[in-house]
Amino acid sequence: GTGPCYHTTGDDLSVVDMGKLDKQIAVAADLVMQVAGGDVTPSFNAGGPPATYADAVAPDAILQRASVDFGRLDATNQAILQGIADRVASIVADGEARFDARDVPVLVRAAEQAAGILASGECDGFLPPPSGEFDALTYNVAGLPASLSQSSPDVNMPIIGPLLNTYDLVLLQESWETPDPNTLDPLRVYHEILESASTHSFQSVPLPLPVGMDPLRPSAQLSDGLNRFADLPSTAVTRRRWTECVGLVDSGADCLALKGFSHSEIELAPGVQVDVYNLHMEAGAGAKDDRVRAQDIDELVAYIQANSAGRPLIVGGDFNLHGDEPFDAALYETLKAGTGLVDACSYLGCADTDAIDRFFYRSAEVLTLTPISWQFETATFVDGTGKPLSDHDPLHVRFAWSVPE
């Protein structure tokens, strides 16, 4: 039999060890020449036993050596192959003097089963572990109704939409979907414009607007505004709101919305997943806002510890924290200490230490994440006059990823 990694004419030549293959060809050719040109013609001994003691010794050595790789098989085949190895080892341990006809069918059956198992499954033995790169963007699109926004979303959203398609993973803040029927009329919001322009294979389902009907926060007219697009397989989004908020007409008017964070899993390659978080934290500059932002960080840390323990992570969004201010810098340290997250800006030595839009990441035993570039796309997301399309600049980080050998 041949294993699943045996070379065939259908192999990708880039993974074939040509030097090894040349040696195998030479050995086979030499054997044929010796048999064909020898003085004695080989003959088949039809009267010999199907198996001898020597036929147990050789596979015993092979199975013992291969036992360290039994874990590459599924649980059922692991158990079968271990049983085969134990039976063959028992025959060898009994010695050649005790080998008799009762051992022959056991040995023949063991060889047949082992060959079948070793030839099953898929081969990845000649391939390097998977790796790649992807482009991530976090963008607060200032999608409040035009009369309330600090931007011009009615004009800018149709420009923003197609620009997002350049990126593999897009995390959006302040992007709400207009209800149907529109209970905000004559006002509206704009996420549906971005949805219609998106070519991404995954689009999150927006959280409906509460319009004053949320029993836990009746002041909220807007939902969390957290949405995402991805050209990577993704699970459905789980959403969590912050416990507290500050302000209806001041301190960022955070109590008019259900700010919080969202969580889903993207797949970089078969079996290679990353947990991705998108967030929008408390705004405002007062002492109450500081206290609530500190609580936001504590809630995020607790959720990550409970739901993403030991997993690779990407956390992006509008943190409303300035890294050059001592209180805010301390909150970033709390986040990093509680989760093992690394600031992509700090890793790359970028100068934007006071930026409130950020990406953090964490590698894990199963996956290494490495940011390789950090850039605010100030030259791309502008209108025809060069004016920014939002009151936030979109942050683009390119990540490399690899599975350790």
Side-chain angles (χ1 to χ4, degrees), residues 126-142:
F126 296 116
L127 300 175
S131 63
E133 298 178 358
F134 64 93
D135 292 286
L137 187 84
T138 179
Y139 194 13
N140 184 323
V141 295

Side-chain angles (χ1 to χ4, degrees), residues 176 210 217 219-225 245 247 253-259:
W176 298 279
R217 189 172 297 172
S219 61
Q221 301 300 309
L222 301 169
S223 53
D224 58 11
C245 61
D254 290 292
C255 292
L256 291 178
L258 301 176
K259 279 187 175 181

Side-chain angles (χ1 to χ4, degrees), residues 72-88:
R72 295 170 66 92
L73 302 168
D74 60 56
T76 299
N77 281 329
Q78 283 184 53
I80 295 172
L81 199 55
Q82 187 59 59
I84 292 169
D86 292 343
R87 289 195 296 275
V88 174

